[in-house]
């Protein structure tokens, strides 16, 4: 009887955990890519619930949004992807985000990348954040001053 109760307890415990396959993550990201989507908050919350399995696809979404020629998609989608990555809190995102800070083509997103790294609170990011701040702090267009000051 105890064994049946334990099995039941484990099933109840795991039934409340968010589970998503790659298909659901892919569908949610496809919805985010659409120029006019109305349920952004629920999509973002679901991806945050999914957690770690969504990190790599979200990093790819950031890259594809950044390289998009459609300005109406580029900045909002890239910003949202960074926001979700930070809220998930998976440390696997630290290295890719550090790499983005190492690449000057991402300067328009430095503030958001720095904010995401700050949320992740990983000491591996300290040197690159300090370096970018020193390098760009006097530029008018360097928005990361609001994060690091």
């Amino acid at each position: 009887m105890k064994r049946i109760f334990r099995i039941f307890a484990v099933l109840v415990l795991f039934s409340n955990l968010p589970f998503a396959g790659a298909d659901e993550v892919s569908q949610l990201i496809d919805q985010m890519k659409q120029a006019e989507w109305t349920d952004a908050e629920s999509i973002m919350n679901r991806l945050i619930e999914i957690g770690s399995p969504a990190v790599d696809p979200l990093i790819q979404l950031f890259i594809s949004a950044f390289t998009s020629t459609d300005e109406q998609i580029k900045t909002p989608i890239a910003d949202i992807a960074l926001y979700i990555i930070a809220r998930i809190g998976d440390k696997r995102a630290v290295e890719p985000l550090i790499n983005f800070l190492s690449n000057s083509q991402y300067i328009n997103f430095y503030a958001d990348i720095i904010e995401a790294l700050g949320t992740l609170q990983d000491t591996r990011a300290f040197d690159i954040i300090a370096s970018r701040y020193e390098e760009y702090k006097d530029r008018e267009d360097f928005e990361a001053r609001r994060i690091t000051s």
Side-chain angles (χ1 to χ4, degrees), residues 55 58-59 80-90 93 97 120:
V55 170
L58 285 165
I59 289 169
I80 290 170
L82 287 172
Y83 173 84
I84 296 168
I85 289 167
R87 294 314 171 273
I88 289 172
D90 189 319
L97 293 176
L120 292 169

Side-chain angles (χ1 to χ4, degrees), residues 15-29:
S15 69
N16 292 328
L17 293 176
F19 174 77
D23 288 345
E24 183 182 1
V25 172
S26 179
Q27 288 172 354
L28 290 167
I29 287 176

Side-chain angles (χ1 to χ4, degrees), residues 8 11 16 31 35 48 63 70 80 102 112 129 147:
F8 179 74
L11 288 173
N16 292 328
Q31 290 173 16
I48 292 167
I63 293 168
D70 185 345
I80 290 170
S102 299
D112 296 313
I129 291 171
I147 306 295

